[in-house]
Amino acid sequence: MHIDVELLRRLENLSMLEISPHKEQEILTELNRFLDFVEIIEELDLSKEDFRFNPLNGGTPLREDTPRVDPEISREILKNAPRSADNFFVVPKIIE
Amino acid sequence: MITLKEAMKLNKEELKEIVSDIKTRVQKSDINAYISLDEGFEGVPVAIKDNIQVKGWNVTCGSKILQGYVAPYDATVIVKMKEAGLAPFGRTNMDEFAMGSSTETSYYGKTLNPKDKSRVPGGSSGGSAAAVAAKEAIAALGSDTGGSIRQPAAFCGIVGMKPTYGRVSRYGLAAYGSSLDQIGPMTQNVEDAAILYDIISGYDPKDSTSARIENPGVSKSLNPDRKFKIGIVPSYIKDASSEVQKAYDKAISILQKEGHTIKEVSLMDARYDIASYYITAMAEASTNLSRYDGVRYGFRAESENLKQMYKKTRSEGFGEEVKRRILLGTFVLSSGYYDAYYIKAQKLRNLIKSEYEKVFSKVDLILSPVAPTVAFEFGSKKTPLEMYLSDVYTIGVNLSGLPAISLPVDEHQGLPVGLQFIAGAFEEQKLFDAALGLERALDSQN
């Protein structure tokens, strides 16, 4: 597998990042170096292994579905947000 | 520096003196262990890694993207600490979003290893480790996603412990790899680690992955005389540096003299751990870090339209290593590549976990190196992959959700060499008992 410039652009779009043109080659080299390394997985027969993994044996514990809210948290977040007004976050215009 | 155990017996006035002493030390220091000396609480001061929420503090994960953010609540570990009479004191430096093994990727610049300032303190909890080692903190909290408590502890010559996944609440820990992250103690000695571990651990309904099982605590029943069957992994050691091999041999001979049974065990080539770990961690990181978009908190790069704002904020706000991991994480989760990378890494993770389970049916503990070398020099890792490979001994523990403790065992030209004990899930008592026994035996030699 090899990530080329076209795939890199797609990944930038998916992850909402922009890589500056002078960094492009360097980052492609690093991404591909990593992918070459993880090829070692191919040496193993994993056909019998489950693809589902849970770090807790027995799975995530169940709990009652009770709503809980701490209004102070949203107040604090809004107060310190880059821009907010009338209990909303303010962002650049979405609809022209 | 006074130990945590001793400090917990002091009165308010005495503690004030300790705090002022710490401030003086930090002001005179050039190692950059702390980002800032935030305070505001009464009690025994404990330094906090910059990714754990303390209400009212600018918790920033060592990143530009969280500049201006104010934590609106306390992490569960902080609530528990305050209840026990401990006070969060100072935010410690870290690799940006805990992504690194050297604390070089922080927005606030690097932290120096107090044992040798030309060398890294390890990472990502490098600030916490350096602060404790330099007597700038009584104790500290760190977080461990792939060794981020144990490796800096080993590099700086202190004790660092990663609890079983689910033992300590992650509520209020900024998420990096959610299936791997655990908060843990970083202390001057094993007993302090046990005390701090007892304080922060236990079931928490606010963390859906918190284990709802009994948590009897370890510090009151510490027993350094217990004898264990300890597994050693000869196939692991051959790639470690001579200093680490020497420390390993030294520890084995002490453990034998102390009456433990040593048994050779085998684990699969740890390079597979690295592959499974980095695919998993990057995938989880790319998802977790999607929340940093400039809308709700922290840094925003103003733009004409929303999409441009997202892109500019993230491109200017994240550092190089974080971007690399987000891009790779996005790649391994994206359509067409998901099965070949992410799914295979999860299958491999199951295999690695079952390998550990097999070993723990034969032995109580595993003795392992923490890092292949002593603390390395700044700039000596030439590529990101070279840095990832240095995590070879620590990440199996995170992939399998196991507890482990790193403690200083030897020294090479003034640089500490740490080793770790690994135990089965929720067997923290064994871990602390064995570590305390080894620490006592080492002390009696010196």
Side-chain angles (χ1 to χ4, degrees):
Chain A
M1 180 61 216
H2 186 82
I3 299 182
D4 56 16
V5 174
E6 198 185 327
L7 181 52
L8 178 62
R9 297 267 153 75
R10 195 179 137 212
L11 296 175
E12 285 174 56
N13 253 323
L14 285 169
S15 43
M16 289 286 164
L17 285 171
E18 270 168 351
I19 302 300
S20 57
H22 74 279
K23 282 270 175 196
E24 218 164 58
Q25 272 316 313
E26 186 192 327
I27 197 138
L28 277 173
T29 306
E30 294 309 338
L31 300 191
N32 285 311
R33 200 197 305 268
F34 176 78
L35 293 186
D36 287 346
F37 171 75
V38 299
E39 287 288 313
I40 57 165
I41 294 191
E42 298 303 325
E43 296 166 8
L44 300 167
D45 175 15
L46 297 168
S47 55
K48 291 196 184 70
E49 297 296 327
D50 195 344
F51 66 91
R52 293 164 301 181
F53 182 86
N54 195 310
L56 287 177
N57 280 336
T60 312
L62 294 174
R63 58 175 169 80
E64 288 302 318
D65 189 13
T66 337
R68 272 185 305 264
V69 66
D70 181 351
E72 200 195 328
I73 293 181
S74 23
R75 265 200 304 275
E76 283 297 309
I77 289 282
L78 275 162
K79 194 175 90 188
N80 297 304
R83 282 182 72 192
S84 64
D86 305 328
N87 250 356
F88 288 98
F89 297 106
V90 179
V91 295
K93 212 194 294 182
I94 299 170
I95 303 160
E96 291 302 324
Chain B
M1 174 61 74
I2 189 171
T3 64
L4 179 64
K5 187 185 179 186
E6 291 162 358
M8 288 176 76
K9 294 176 194 152
L10 300 182
N11 64 34
K12 270 186 197 176
E13 289 310 307
E14 290 166 322
L15 284 171
K16 267 186 197 158
E17 235 170 82
I18 301 262
V19 168
S20 111
D21 180 41
I22 291 175
K23 281 184 189 165
T24 315
R25 280 171 189 275
V26 175
Q27 276 149 13
K28 283 187 193 153
S29 165
D30 60 354
I31 60 169
N32 197 32
Y34 285 93
I35 294 166
S36 78
L37 285 183
D38 307 67
E39 46 185 331
F41 309 100
E42 270 188 4
V44 180
V46 174
I48 308 294
K49 188 176 180 179
D50 190 36
N51 60 352
I52 299 172
Q53 308 294 304
V54 179
K55 193 175 175 178
W57 285 15
N58 294 109
V59 178
T60 66
C61 298
S63 181
K64 179 180 176 183
I65 211 160
L66 275 167
Q67 297 303 309
Y69 170 73
V70 181
Y73 62 90
D74 279 333
T76 297
V77 291
I78 300 297
V79 174
K80 284 172 175 278
M81 268 179 43
K82 287 179 181 173
E83 282 166 4
L86 308 188
F89 180 82
R91 286 183 294 134
T92 55
N93 202 14
M94 58 184 279
D95 280 298
E96 186 180 8
F97 284 102
M99 296 178 189
S101 315
S102 63
T103 315
E104 289 171 289
T105 69
S106 168
Y107 175 62
Y108 306 95
K110 59 194 183 188
T111 294
L112 313 182
N113 190 320
K115 307 282 178 188
D116 176 347
K117 290 175 187 170
S118 70
R119 291 172 190 266
V120 304
S124 65
S125 311
S128 288
V132 174
K135 304 188 188 334
E136 294 177 18
I138 297 171
L141 288 187
S143 68
D144 193 314
T145 304
S148 282
I149 287 176
R150 291 162 286 148
Q151 183 255 25
F155 279 7
C156 293
I158 66 160
V159 173
M161 189 260 173
K162 179 222 168 265
T164 307
Y165 186 84
R167 189 64 114 176
V168 173
S169 171
R170 293 184 299 108
Y171 181 73
L173 171 67
Y176 159 24
S178 305
S179 74
L180 303 153
D181 301 335
Q182 273 288 287
I183 298 170
M186 302 181 75
T187 57
Q188 302 170 58
N189 60 54
V190 174
E191 190 179 13
D192 278 0
I195 292 168
L196 191 48
Y197 162 79
D198 277 357
I199 290 171
I200 62 173
S201 59
Y203 172 68
D204 178 19
K206 288 179 172 159
D207 171 2
S208 65
T209 58
S210 174
R212 199 184 291 180
I213 58 164
E214 215 193 330
N215 183 38
V218 294
S219 62
K220 294 213 169 60
S221 1
L222 283 175
N223 179 2
D225 297 318
R226 259 174 101 188
K227 304 299 171 222
F228 295 106
K229 204 182 273 181
I230 298 171
I232 55 168
V233 201
S235 61
Y236 264 33
I237 306 313
K238 60 181 194 332
D239 298 324
S241 69
S242 58
E243 304 91 79
V244 174
Q245 294 192 6
K246 192 174 137 256
Y248 201 68
D249 291 341
K250 176 181 168 183
I252 292 170
S253 90
I254 291 175
L255 292 168
Q256 272 171 330
K257 261 187 230 150
E258 291 283 305
H260 300 286
T261 311
I262 304 293
K263 187 178 160 65
E264 285 191 12
V265 295
S266 65
L267 286 163
M268 76 161 112
D269 187 336
R271 286 179 315 145
Y272 296 120
D273 295 9
I274 296 178
S276 177
Y277 171 80
Y278 274 97
I279 291 173
T280 305
M282 288 171 179
E284 294 183 11
S286 74
T287 313
N288 277 326
L289 271 61
S290 64
R291 73 192 62 172
Y292 303 108
D293 55 9
V295 174
R296 290 153 297 168
Y297 28 66
F299 165 77
R300 172 188 292 194
E302 292 296 346
S303 303
E304 294 285 305
N305 67 65
L306 188 66
K307 194 171 173 189
Q308 207 48 43
M309 188 194 88
Y310 291 151
K311 280 197 165 180
K312 264 183 83 177
T313 299
R314 290 167 63 79
S315 304
E316 290 174 24
F318 289 135
E320 297 291 317
E321 181 60 27
V322 175
K323 283 186 214 171
R324 210 159 25 230
R325 294 196 192 192
I326 291 175
L327 288 167
L328 277 169
T330 305
F331 170 75
V332 300
L333 289 176
S334 64
S335 152
Y337 306 105
Y338 180 75
D339 288 349
Y341 291 92
Y342 184 73
I343 290 292
K344 277 204 182 128
Q346 299 318 295
K347 288 182 171 183
L348 177 50
R349 192 174 178 185
N350 272 315
L351 180 62
I352 292 165
K353 192 178 179 207
S354 62
E355 280 234 322
Y356 272 102
E357 279 164 4
K358 259 187 245 161
V359 170
F360 285 118
S361 68
K362 296 183 198 127
V363 296
D364 298 304
L365 298 158
I366 296 171
L367 178 72
S368 154
V370 176
T373 61
V374 292
F376 46 87
E377 285 175 340
F378 285 105
S380 62
K381 300 274 182 240
K382 297 297 175 214
T383 66
L385 181 61
E386 215 183 307
M387 191 71 89
Y388 303 164
L389 294 174
S390 72
D391 297 340
V392 65
Y393 296 123
T394 44
I395 53 193
V397 161
N398 302 79
L399 285 168
S400 311
L402 302 173
I405 187 165
S406 158
L407 72 159
V409 167
D410 206 3
E411 251 188 29
H412 174 74
Q413 296 174 348
L415 293 169
V417 185
L419 297 178
Q420 62 179 335
F421 284 115
I422 306 168
F426 302 106
E427 299 276 17
E428 277 88 356
Q429 187 73 55
K430 285 183 183 172
L431 207 61
F432 280 105
D433 288 347
L436 190 65
L438 179 57
E439 183 185 58
R440 185 181 63 180
L442 286 161
D443 283 348
S444 72
Q445 276 193 346
N446 297 329

